[in-house]
Each structure stands twice: as structure tokens, then as C-alpha cells.
Amino acid sequence: MSAADYPDDPVEAAAVLRARAIAEPIDDDSLATVAEPWRFISGLWQLRFASVRAVVTPLLDDADPRVARRAVAFLGAGVRDDAVFARLAAIAEACALPHAASRELQLALSAWARGDAEARRVAALVRRLAGDALPAVHRPVAAFEAAWLVEVARERCGHGDGRADEVCVAACGVIAACCADQLLAFLTAARRLRAPQRLRALDEVGEVLAVTAAAHPTLADCRAALGEPDAAPRTRSFARATATGRGDDAALSAAVRDALGPGSTVTVKRDGNFVPADVNNAEIDDEWQLVTGVRGDGVTLTVRVEAGATAASFATTATAPADRDRILAAVWRALGRSRPAWDAA
């Protein structure tokens, strides 16, 4: 079904949405909140906001939990609407637990909270909805329920629950940005994560600490709390504020040179793996840039970015811990997100 087939009559539209939600319920193993069978009306959200909302909002109270859950997920994934926010908050406050749409309510309310008063209220609601599970960690929850998150992480992370472990990894950056005083405690609680996950968790934290120029805790403190081996070389990662495109050679070269220090030599290699990733933009299909710097003492720093992607990686052969961490922080600060944007994990 396409948006063109969406019925103009609200009663017919509601019937179509109900039937599709029942036929294809939300997959509990999926992290997605908006997916088929309602994706076909996503494009109508801006064009016909009032009419779509008028049809979907009553479905929040549908007797079939599959329909109500889909309605929460769909509305929550859109732009905030004050009336919808109030309705979702009322549902969260009044519902019996466990609630079928617990995860979707947490995501919507956390993403939409404005100001400390709303954030505090949402944090309490998320804690109620989550029960003994690790919730999706957004800024309101991290800011007002950090101590509780530490306790939940201690109980849930690293015990074979894949979803909890992935949420835990992503939460590290949010907590670093919102409540650094609880960061070491959270990382200690998360040290049961598998080695690759600990590596990613430290990347999340390192990027936040570098971009925000936080003095405490240090990267070494975080590494020790998380139990990540203090070894080199290690490949690290970062997320750019915007997708990488052509013409970044100068910026990447400058970042590598500044991180290594004066007198470093920098070379740039550009290549592609010839597997089309975007048939509409063939000139950047899987093209990547490899920028390598060499310092006078032989220490190297290599940054790898892929055209059209925000994710990138880098590695240094520096072995002295202080020198290596200074280089890591310099790269994260120069090439990572341009402002704190860790609103949600």
C-alpha cells in the first residue's frame, strides 16, 4: 500500500491501520520504532498532520495491544505535538504494568521532554515503565535517574541479554554528556560487557569528553573503570557531525597533523571497493579516504573515512599512555560531532 491509497474517510483509514497493525505487530527483537505496516503513511505526517493525527490518536486506546503499541510508536517517532505528549504521559502514568508499549512510551516521552520539570517527570515515568530492565537512555533519564541507571546496569549488563548490552554501550555517551559524576560508576557496572562492546563504549565516552573538553574524568580513568585493556595500537571510532564527502582532504590532513604535532608528514590515499552503495550517486560509491601521518619518532596516526557516511575510524601506534590518549582526544575533538548531540541512546 502507498500513501496514495490512504483513505480520505477517517473511519476507513482507522480500519486499514488497525488491520495492518494486527497482521504485522512490532517485533520485540527489533530496535526500530517505525516500520511496516504503517510506513506508507509516514510521508503524510507533515503534509496531512492534523488528519493523520486525528486518525491515529484514538488508536492509543484500542483494545488490541498490538494496535495501541503501533499508535504509540508512530506518534512518538514524529515531531513533538503538545497534545500528543500530554496524552502519552497520561497513558504512562495510568497504565497497568507491564504495558505492551512500554518501550515505545519511554522513547517518545524521553525524546520530547522540554525543560527540567518535564524531564524530571519523564525520568520518573521511564523508571516506572522500565521496571527491572535497562531503559532506553535519553538525556532526561540520565540527568535525573543516573544513580538508578548504575544499579540497573550492574544487574543487567554483560549477562547474556543482547539488547541490554547494546543499550548499555550507547548509554555511556549520554551519561558522559549529562552526568559525568556518575560516569565511572556506570562504566564499572558495565565492565562485564564483551571486549568489542567495551571498545565501542570507550569510543562513545572518549568522543564526548573530547568534544566537551571535560577535565574529569580522564580517558585513562574511564578505561580503568570499564576494564578495557590499556594496549596499543587500537582502532578507535568516531561519528562526524555530517556525512563525509569529497573535498575533506585538507580538513582531515590538518586534524592528523595537529594531533601528531609539528614536523609530521601526511599522505592521503583515496580508493573504492567497487561495490555500488548508492545507484543514484555512483561517484561516491564506497569511496574512502585514508589519511596517514608520521611523526619524527615513527609514531603514526591513520584516519579512515567513507564518503557519504558519518562513521569513521582511526588508529595510532603511540604506545605511551599519555601520548596516545592525547592523540585520541585530539582526533575526537577535531573530527567528532561539532556539538554535544548525545540526546538518546
Side-chain angles (χ1 to χ4, degrees):
M1 177 176 284
S2 67
D5 299 317
Y6 182 74
D8 290 327
D9 180 76
V11 176
E12 292 181 13
V16 168
L17 296 181
R18 286 195 79 258
R20 292 177 69 88
I22 292 171
E24 300 180 52
I26 292 177
D27 182 2
D28 283 326
D29 293 328
S30 171
L31 295 178
T33 56
V34 177
E36 293 292 356
W38 286 10
R39 189 180 296 279
F40 73 98
I41 62 170
S42 296
L44 299 173
W45 186 247
Q46 296 299 329
L47 298 176
R48 298 168 60 181
F49 174 81
S51 62
V52 172
R53 184 185 63 189
V55 172
V56 174
T57 301
L59 297 179
L60 292 170
D61 300 312
D62 197 274
D64 192 309
R66 294 168 294 184
V67 178
R69 185 178 184 185
R70 180 69 67 180
V72 172
F74 182 82
L75 292 170
V79 177
R80 167 171 167 144
D81 176 80
D82 290 343
V84 175
F85 177 85
R87 184 74 189 93
L88 294 180
I91 291 173
E93 288 176 333
C95 70
L97 298 176
H99 190 274
S102 175
R103 184 183 68 179
E104 290 73 28
L105 284 169
Q106 293 174 49
L107 291 170
L109 293 172
S110 296
W112 283 358
R114 293 175 180 168
D116 284 353
E118 273 191 6
R120 192 180 298 277
R121 178 189 181 196
V122 164
L125 289 174
V126 168
R127 180 169 180 172
R128 176 177 185 268
L129 291 166
D132 61 354
L134 186 65
V137 180
H138 287 61
R139 189 175 294 272
V141 186
F144 293 105
E145 294 287 357
W148 168 68
L149 289 175
V150 171
E151 295 302 316
V152 178
R154 187 174 292 119
E155 296 295 325
R156 302 289 295 181
C157 292
H159 294 289
D161 184 336
R163 180 189 296 277
D165 290 350
E166 287 302 309
V167 170
C168 187
V169 170
C172 292
V174 184
I175 291 175
C178 299
C179 46
D181 59 319
Q182 292 287 340
L183 178 57
L184 295 182
F186 189 85
L187 294 177
T188 300
R191 64 188 308 162
R192 295 190 192 90
L193 294 171
R194 294 180 293 108
Q197 292 173 317
R198 294 200 306 273
L199 186 69
R200 288 166 43 216
L202 193 65
D203 287 343
E204 290 279 343
V205 169
E207 187 175 329
V208 174
L209 297 180
V211 172
T212 59
H216 182 79
T218 66
L219 190 60
D221 293 335
C222 295
R223 181 182 290 109
L226 192 59
E228 195 207 16
D230 190 3
R234 298 294 294 273
T235 299
R236 315 301 319 192
S237 64
F238 62 93
R240 307 206 68 185
T242 57
T244 304
R246 289 180 179 274
D248 283 343
D249 290 359
L252 293 171
S253 297
V256 170
R257 188 175 292 109
D258 290 345
L260 287 177
S264 305
T265 59
V266 177
T267 58
V268 179
K269 179 181 179 181
R270 190 189 299 274
D271 205 347
N273 65 13
F274 309 108
V275 178
D278 184 353
V279 296
N280 297 313
N281 197 359
E283 69 175 4
I284 67 168
D285 283 351
D286 288 326
E287 183 180 66
W288 52 267
Q289 295 159 270
L290 199 66
V291 182
T292 302
V294 182
R295 204 166 61 185
D297 59 1
V299 169
T300 65
L301 169 63
T302 300
V303 176
R304 185 186 189 280
V305 298
E306 185 175 331
T310 56
S313 62
F314 65 101
T316 179
T317 58
T319 56
D323 183 36
R324 184 198 57 238
D325 286 355
R326 182 193 61 76
I327 293 173
L328 299 184
V331 175
W332 274 317
R333 187 163 49 249
L335 300 178
R337 283 168 277 204
S338 59
R339 60 184 173 78
W342 299 273
D343 291 329

mmCIF file of all heavy atoms in Angstrom, residues 267-293:
data_model
loop_
_atom_site.group_PDB
_atom_site.id
_atom_site.type_symbol
_atom_site.label_atom_id
_atom_site.label_comp_id
_atom_site.label_asym_id
_atom_site.label_seq_id
_atom_site.Cartn_x
_atom_site.Cartn_y
_atom_site.Cartn_z
ATOM 1 N N THR A 267 50.097 11.889 4.316
ATOM 2 C CA THR A 267 49.783 11.435 2.970
ATOM 3 C C THR A 267 48.304 11.070 2.913
ATOM 4 O O THR A 267 47.703 10.664 3.918
ATOM 5 C CB THR A 267 50.615 10.208 2.566
ATOM 6 O OG1 THR A 267 50.374 9.141 3.515
ATOM 7 C CG2 THR A 267 52.102 10.539 2.556
ATOM 8 N N VAL A 268 47.719 11.204 1.719
ATOM 9 C CA VAL A 268 46.300 10.919 1.528
ATOM 10 C C VAL A 268 46.148 9.896 0.420
ATOM 11 O O VAL A 268 46.728 10.034 -0.651
ATOM 12 C CB VAL A 268 45.514 12.187 1.157
ATOM 13 C CG1 VAL A 268 44.039 11.853 0.932
ATOM 14 C CG2 VAL A 268 45.658 13.244 2.238
ATOM 15 N N LYS A 269 45.377 8.876 0.691
ATOM 16 C CA LYS A 269 45.060 7.862 -0.310
ATOM 17 C C LYS A 269 43.558 7.804 -0.452
ATOM 18 O O LYS A 269 42.821 7.831 0.538
ATOM 19 C CB LYS A 269 45.607 6.495 0.112
ATOM 20 C CG LYS A 269 45.298 5.369 -0.869
ATOM 21 C CD LYS A 269 45.847 4.039 -0.371
ATOM 22 C CE LYS A 269 45.512 2.904 -1.330
ATOM 23 N NZ LYS A 269 46.016 1.596 -0.839
ATOM 24 N N ARG A 270 43.084 7.696 -1.694
ATOM 25 C CA ARG A 270 41.653 7.614 -1.948
ATOM 26 C C ARG A 270 41.391 6.394 -2.821
ATOM 27 O O ARG A 270 42.109 6.143 -3.787
ATOM 28 C CB ARG A 270 41.174 8.875 -2.666
ATOM 29 C CG ARG A 270 39.662 9.017 -2.766
ATOM 30 C CD ARG A 270 39.315 10.169 -3.684
ATOM 31 N NE ARG A 270 39.828 11.422 -3.195
ATOM 32 C CZ ARG A 270 39.207 12.208 -2.319
ATOM 33 N NH1 ARG A 270 38.039 11.831 -1.837
ATOM 34 N NH2 ARG A 270 39.722 13.343 -1.932
ATOM 35 N N ASP A 271 40.384 5.636 -2.473
ATOM 36 C CA ASP A 271 40.110 4.422 -3.230
ATOM 37 C C ASP A 271 38.651 4.057 -3.044
ATOM 38 O O ASP A 271 37.905 4.693 -2.315
ATOM 39 C CB ASP A 271 41.019 3.282 -2.755
ATOM 40 C CG ASP A 271 41.235 2.222 -3.816
ATOM 41 O OD1 ASP A 271 40.502 2.244 -4.820
ATOM 42 O OD2 ASP A 271 42.126 1.380 -3.637
ATOM 43 N N GLY A 272 38.243 2.966 -3.715
ATOM 44 C CA GLY A 272 36.881 2.469 -3.574
ATOM 45 C C GLY A 272 36.885 0.977 -3.744
ATOM 46 O O GLY A 272 37.824 0.402 -4.297
ATOM 47 N N ASN A 273 35.845 0.304 -3.240
ATOM 48 C CA ASN A 273 35.836 -1.158 -3.346
ATOM 49 C C ASN A 273 34.952 -1.649 -4.483
ATOM 50 O O ASN A 273 34.728 -2.844 -4.629
ATOM 51 C CB ASN A 273 35.413 -1.798 -2.020
ATOM 52 C CG ASN A 273 33.983 -1.458 -1.643
ATOM 53 O OD1 ASN A 273 33.219 -0.943 -2.447
ATOM 54 N ND2 ASN A 273 33.632 -1.748 -0.403
ATOM 55 N N PHE A 274 34.405 -0.701 -5.262
ATOM 56 C CA PHE A 274 33.667 -1.032 -6.481
ATOM 57 C C PHE A 274 32.403 -1.838 -6.225
ATOM 58 O O PHE A 274 31.930 -2.551 -7.093
ATOM 59 C CB PHE A 274 34.574 -1.770 -7.479
ATOM 60 C CG PHE A 274 35.870 -1.070 -7.722
ATOM 61 C CD1 PHE A 274 37.060 -1.574 -7.221
ATOM 62 C CD2 PHE A 274 35.888 0.117 -8.431
ATOM 63 C CE1 PHE A 274 38.249 -0.903 -7.438
ATOM 64 C CE2 PHE A 274 37.089 0.788 -8.656
ATOM 65 C CZ PHE A 274 38.267 0.279 -8.160
ATOM 66 N N VAL A 275 31.857 -1.740 -5.038
ATOM 67 C CA VAL A 275 30.554 -2.353 -4.758
ATOM 68 C C VAL A 275 29.554 -1.212 -4.630
ATOM 69 O O VAL A 275 29.589 -0.476 -3.654
ATOM 70 C CB VAL A 275 30.577 -3.186 -3.461
ATOM 71 C CG1 VAL A 275 29.190 -3.765 -3.201
ATOM 72 C CG2 VAL A 275 31.610 -4.290 -3.561
ATOM 73 N N PRO A 276 28.697 -1.011 -5.610
ATOM 74 C CA PRO A 276 27.813 0.164 -5.581
ATOM 75 C C PRO A 276 26.977 0.219 -4.315
ATOM 76 O O PRO A 276 26.312 -0.741 -3.952
ATOM 77 C CB PRO A 276 26.933 -0.028 -6.827
ATOM 78 C CG PRO A 276 27.743 -0.906 -7.728
ATOM 79 C CD PRO A 276 28.490 -1.839 -6.807
ATOM 80 N N ALA A 277 27.045 1.353 -3.640
ATOM 81 C CA ALA A 277 26.246 1.540 -2.432
ATOM 82 C C ALA A 277 25.081 2.473 -2.686
ATOM 83 O O ALA A 277 24.081 2.435 -1.989
ATOM 84 C CB ALA A 277 27.117 2.109 -1.313
ATOM 85 N N ASP A 278 25.199 3.328 -3.690
ATOM 86 C CA ASP A 278 24.151 4.301 -3.971
ATOM 87 C C ASP A 278 24.043 4.454 -5.479
ATOM 88 O O ASP A 278 24.838 5.141 -6.111
ATOM 89 C CB ASP A 278 24.506 5.639 -3.315
ATOM 90 C CG ASP A 278 23.390 6.670 -3.495
ATOM 91 O OD1 ASP A 278 22.426 6.370 -4.236
ATOM 92 O OD2 ASP A 278 23.490 7.744 -2.896
ATOM 93 N N VAL A 279 23.063 3.805 -6.068
ATOM 94 C CA VAL A 279 22.952 3.822 -7.527
ATOM 95 C C VAL A 279 22.635 5.214 -8.056
ATOM 96 O O VAL A 279 22.813 5.487 -9.236
ATOM 97 C CB VAL A 279 21.872 2.830 -8.013
ATOM 98 C CG1 VAL A 279 22.263 1.415 -7.680
ATOM 99 C CG2 VAL A 279 20.514 3.181 -7.391
ATOM 100 N N ASN A 280 22.169 6.103 -7.159
ATOM 101 C CA ASN A 280 21.850 7.455 -7.592
ATOM 102 C C ASN A 280 23.025 8.414 -7.461
ATOM 103 O O ASN A 280 22.935 9.574 -7.844
ATOM 104 C CB ASN A 280 20.666 8.004 -6.779
ATOM 105 C CG ASN A 280 19.416 7.189 -7.001
ATOM 106 O OD1 ASN A 280 19.084 6.890 -8.140
ATOM 107 N ND2 ASN A 280 18.736 6.826 -5.919
ATOM 108 N N ASN A 281 24.105 7.954 -6.879
ATOM 109 C CA ASN A 281 25.273 8.814 -6.687
ATOM 110 C C ASN A 281 26.516 7.964 -6.828
ATOM 111 O O ASN A 281 27.279 7.774 -5.891
ATOM 112 C CB ASN A 281 25.217 9.479 -5.307
ATOM 113 C CG ASN A 281 26.154 10.676 -5.219
ATOM 114 O OD1 ASN A 281 26.850 11.007 -6.167
ATOM 115 N ND2 ASN A 281 26.171 11.311 -4.053
ATOM 116 N N ALA A 282 26.726 7.466 -8.023
ATOM 117 C CA ALA A 282 27.780 6.479 -8.250
ATOM 118 C C ALA A 282 29.172 7.017 -7.981
ATOM 119 O O ALA A 282 30.088 6.252 -7.675
ATOM 120 C CB ALA A 282 27.701 5.965 -9.689
ATOM 121 N N GLU A 283 29.349 8.338 -8.077
ATOM 122 C CA GLU A 283 30.698 8.869 -7.929
ATOM 123 C C GLU A 283 31.261 8.714 -6.524
ATOM 124 O O GLU A 283 32.465 8.802 -6.317
ATOM 125 C CB GLU A 283 30.738 10.344 -8.325
ATOM 126 C CG GLU A 283 30.003 11.267 -7.367
ATOM 127 C CD GLU A 283 30.173 12.726 -7.727
ATOM 128 O OE1 GLU A 283 30.802 13.006 -8.769
ATOM 129 O OE2 GLU A 283 29.688 13.573 -6.960
ATOM 130 N N ILE A 284 30.406 8.477 -5.526
ATOM 131 C CA ILE A 284 30.926 8.290 -4.177
ATOM 132 C C ILE A 284 30.705 6.872 -3.666
ATOM 133 O O ILE A 284 30.884 6.607 -2.488
ATOM 134 C CB ILE A 284 30.290 9.286 -3.172
ATOM 135 C CG1 ILE A 284 28.787 9.002 -2.982
ATOM 136 C CG2 ILE A 284 30.537 10.716 -3.586
ATOM 137 C CD1 ILE A 284 28.186 9.740 -1.808
ATOM 138 N N ASP A 285 30.316 5.946 -4.548
ATOM 139 C CA ASP A 285 30.030 4.586 -4.096
ATOM 140 C C ASP A 285 31.218 3.993 -3.360
ATOM 141 O O ASP A 285 32.261 3.693 -3.942
ATOM 142 C CB ASP A 285 29.684 3.688 -5.286
ATOM 143 C CG ASP A 285 28.273 3.928 -5.772
ATOM 144 O OD1 ASP A 285 27.544 4.657 -5.078
ATOM 145 O OD2 ASP A 285 27.924 3.412 -6.836
ATOM 146 N N ASP A 286 31.064 3.833 -2.060
ATOM 147 C CA ASP A 286 32.055 3.175 -1.220
ATOM 148 C C ASP A 286 33.455 3.763 -1.362
ATOM 149 O O ASP A 286 34.434 3.109 -1.054
ATOM 150 C CB ASP A 286 32.104 1.666 -1.506
ATOM 151 C CG ASP A 286 30.872 0.962 -0.967
ATOM 152 O OD1 ASP A 286 30.354 1.370 0.075
ATOM 153 O OD2 ASP A 286 30.429 0.027 -1.611
ATOM 154 N N GLU A 287 33.559 4.999 -1.823
ATOM 155 C CA GLU A 287 34.871 5.623 -1.890
ATOM 156 C C GLU A 287 35.318 5.968 -0.475
ATOM 157 O O GLU A 287 34.530 6.427 0.345
ATOM 158 C CB GLU A 287 34.795 6.896 -2.737
ATOM 159 C CG GLU A 287 36.151 7.567 -2.920
ATOM 160 C CD GLU A 287 36.032 8.815 -3.765
ATOM 161 O OE1 GLU A 287 35.391 9.773 -3.289
ATOM 162 O OE2 GLU A 287 36.556 8.813 -4.879
ATOM 163 N N TRP A 288 36.573 5.759 -0.180
ATOM 164 C CA TRP A 288 37.073 6.091 1.136
ATOM 165 C C TRP A 288 38.392 6.817 1.038
ATOM 166 O O TRP A 288 39.128 6.724 0.065
ATOM 167 C CB TRP A 288 37.190 4.852 2.016
ATOM 168 C CG TRP A 288 37.944 3.693 1.430
ATOM 169 C CD1 TRP A 288 37.428 2.640 0.739
ATOM 170 C CD2 TRP A 288 39.369 3.461 1.480
ATOM 171 N NE1 TRP A 288 38.413 1.767 0.360
ATOM 172 C CE2 TRP A 288 39.629 2.245 0.799
ATOM 173 C CE3 TRP A 288 40.437 4.155 2.020
ATOM 174 C CZ2 TRP A 288 40.903 1.708 0.653
ATOM 175 C CZ3 TRP A 288 41.721 3.628 1.880
ATOM 176 C CH2 TRP A 288 41.944 2.418 1.210
ATOM 177 N N GLN A 289 38.668 7.590 2.086
ATOM 178 C CA GLN A 289 39.905 8.336 2.193
ATOM 179 C C GLN A 289 40.714 7.769 3.360
ATOM 180 O O GLN A 289 40.170 7.543 4.446
ATOM 181 C CB GLN A 289 39.617 9.813 2.436
ATOM 182 C CG GLN A 289 38.910 10.507 1.292
ATOM 183 C CD GLN A 289 38.206 11.758 1.761
ATOM 184 O OE1 GLN A 289 37.043 11.710 2.158
ATOM 185 N NE2 GLN A 289 38.904 12.881 1.733
ATOM 186 N N LEU A 290 41.984 7.562 3.132
ATOM 187 C CA LEU A 290 42.895 7.074 4.161
ATOM 188 C C LEU A 290 43.963 8.140 4.338
ATOM 189 O O LEU A 290 44.785 8.353 3.444
ATOM 190 C CB LEU A 290 43.514 5.743 3.736
ATOM 191 C CG LEU A 290 44.132 4.885 4.844
ATOM 192 C CD1 LEU A 290 43.049 4.401 5.788
ATOM 193 C CD2 LEU A 290 44.872 3.704 4.236
ATOM 194 N N VAL A 291 43.937 8.826 5.468
ATOM 195 C CA VAL A 291 44.884 9.902 5.745
ATOM 196 C C VAL A 291 45.856 9.419 6.815
ATOM 197 O O VAL A 291 45.438 9.094 7.936
ATOM 198 C CB VAL A 291 44.152 11.169 6.214
ATOM 199 C CG1 VAL A 291 45.145 12.307 6.454
ATOM 200 C CG2 VAL A 291 43.113 11.585 5.183
ATOM 201 N N THR A 292 47.128 9.359 6.468
ATOM 202 C CA THR A 292 48.136 8.810 7.369
ATOM 203 C C THR A 292 49.192 9.856 7.686
ATOM 204 O O THR A 292 49.734 10.501 6.780
ATOM 205 C CB THR A 292 48.825 7.583 6.743
ATOM 206 O OG1 THR A 292 47.833 6.595 6.444
ATOM 207 C CG2 THR A 292 49.849 6.979 7.707
ATOM 208 N N GLY A 293 49.470 10.025 8.979
ATOM 209 C CA GLY A 293 50.509 10.942 9.425
ATOM 210 C C GLY A 293 51.619 10.186 10.116
ATOM 211 O O GLY A 293 51.366 9.190 10.806
#
